[in-house]
Amino acid sequence: RAKSEGKNRYKIYTAQMSERTVDALLMENDLRRALEQDEFILFYQPQVHLRTGKIIGLEALIRWQHKTKGVISPLDFIPLAEETGLIEEVGAWVLAHACERFHHWLKQGLSLGKVAVNLSARQFRQAHFAETVVEALNKSKLPPQYLELEITESLTMQDTDEVLQTLGYLNKLGLSIAIDDFGTGYSSLSYLKKFPVNKLKIDRTFIHDVGSELDDGAIAKSIIDLAHNMSMLVVAEGVERLGQSRWLYDQGCDQVQGYYFCKPLSENELLKLLYSEKVFRDSNGDCFIV
Ligand code: C2E
Ligand code: MG
Ligand code: MG
Ligand code: MG
């Protein structure tokens, strides 16, 4: 198309293309170097049990602590890691590190529920993915029931038999499977019957306006009911206000995660919080208010 729009246009087009390619190449090299030099860190965001206000899970979220550029968000490097295949190595690091840390905290006597790790579709579909998980568990000595894997709906639409087999194997090991960003994936719901799914994470776009005059919460409520009708747990993502939390409590949502309760924390910040034995509830006892 660029070519048909004239010679000059073609030149501009290719110049932009190669600039993008150069950027991507530089970043790819930078990612490799970061892996070698251990520049990744994990933050942890608490998941809170609404009935008791207790922390019952931690979602591990990767950050790149770049030597010169500062902290880089996963949104800015996970896509490239996926394109280049480096996600396999990055993902293995995340699994190993999350399991090792979590086991360490359990040994210290902290009661923490589960640790949830995000998986990209490409990582999941790599040849020896299940072995990577088993290795992370074995090396860390973390019992499988403490590990939760977050996958996306898009994965459930790809190579279904293989995905099903891997999920079945992992589920038999005793770890649990959560569907991240649920409701945004344009996928059919039939996979929920076929796949061993333990938990739905309601995408934060469906949580944004609940409990306010802008929204009657029909989608969020439907997801909560869907999960419970199928014996799954349900967690709301992106809870930023008390009103949302109250609404979710009234609808019977099991768990919440979001800035209203706690932002993702560094390891030091997390330990401070855990040792304070903070419970997210109000003075009436059975509530959920900080
Ligand atoms: P996600 O798995 O859906 O994670 C939730 C994201 O929402 C996190 O962003 C978290 O910081 C943010 N968040 C939490 N509470 C709130 C809230 O109340 N309001 C709003 N607006 N946002 C909130 P983060 O850490 O930047 O991660 C972004 C995405 O990057 C994640 O979305 C996940 O898809 C991906 N990601 C993060 N770590 C990993 C990883 O280790 N491996 C892979 N493959 N992907 C990862
Ligand atoms: Mg997630
Ligand atoms: Mg999510
Ligand atoms: Mg998300």
Side-chain angles (χ1 to χ4, degrees), residues 54-169:
K54 285 192 176 143
I55 296 172
I56 47 154
L58 300 173
E59 178 175 7
L61 295 158
I62 195 171
R63 274 99 184 86
W64 179 0
Q65 224 165 20
H66 195 283
K67 258 210 298 252
T68 55
K69 294 180 182 161
V71 178
I72 303 178
S73 150
L75 300 173
D76 294 326
F77 68 90
I78 292 288
L80 184 73
E82 281 169 4
E83 270 172 52
T84 56
L86 286 169
I87 191 65
E88 298 187 6
E89 220 176 310
V90 174
W93 179 85
V94 173
L95 273 166
H97 196 72
C99 291
E100 190 275 323
R101 287 287 82 195
F102 202 76
H103 183 252
H104 179 71
W105 298 330
L106 286 175
K107 258 194 341 202
Q108 292 186 352
L110 292 164
S111 108
L112 295 166
K114 292 174 191 287
V115 64
V117 170
N118 289 282
L119 301 178
S120 84
R122 162 126 190 202
Q123 182 189 354
F124 189 93
R125 293 198 331 271
Q126 79 190 72
H128 303 290
F129 174 69
E131 286 166 39
T132 310
V133 176
V134 171
E135 197 179 301
L137 291 169
N138 287 344
K139 264 203 172 150
S140 64
K141 302 197 180 70
L142 182 71
Q145 63 267 27
Y146 290 108
L147 179 61
E148 183 162 270
L149 301 179
E150 294 192 4
I151 62 173
T152 57
E153 285 169 278
S154 64
L155 177 72
T156 64
M157 296 186 291
Q158 303 170 8
D159 310 323
T160 308
D161 281 349
E162 265 180 84
V163 171
L164 185 57
Q165 227 178 1
T166 309
L167 283 178
Y169 174 77

Side-chain angles (χ1 to χ4, degrees), residues 55 110 265-278:
I55 296 172
L110 292 164
L265 303 174
S266 70
E267 196 174 317
N268 278 340
E269 292 170 320
L270 175 73
L271 287 173
K272 239 184 260 165
L273 176 73
L274 294 175
Y275 278 111
S276 76
E277 288 181 20
K278 179 165 184 167

Side-chain angles (χ1 to χ4, degrees), residues 179-229:
I179 307 291
D180 206 351
D181 306 334
F182 185 79
T184 60
Y186 303 103
S187 69
S188 106
L189 291 177
S190 58
Y191 74 86
L192 290 176
K193 277 175 90 170
K194 276 192 290 193
F195 291 10
V197 176
N198 306 92
K199 191 192 225 183
L200 300 181
K201 300 193 74 180
I202 309 173
D203 190 73
R204 68 166 175 266
T205 52
F206 303 120
I207 301 301
H208 195 261
D209 293 327
V210 302
S212 78
E213 276 140 40
L214 293 168
D215 193 334
D216 63 2
I219 294 184
K221 176 63 176 146
S222 303
I223 297 174
I224 293 168
D225 291 343
L226 172 68
H228 289 161
N229 289 337

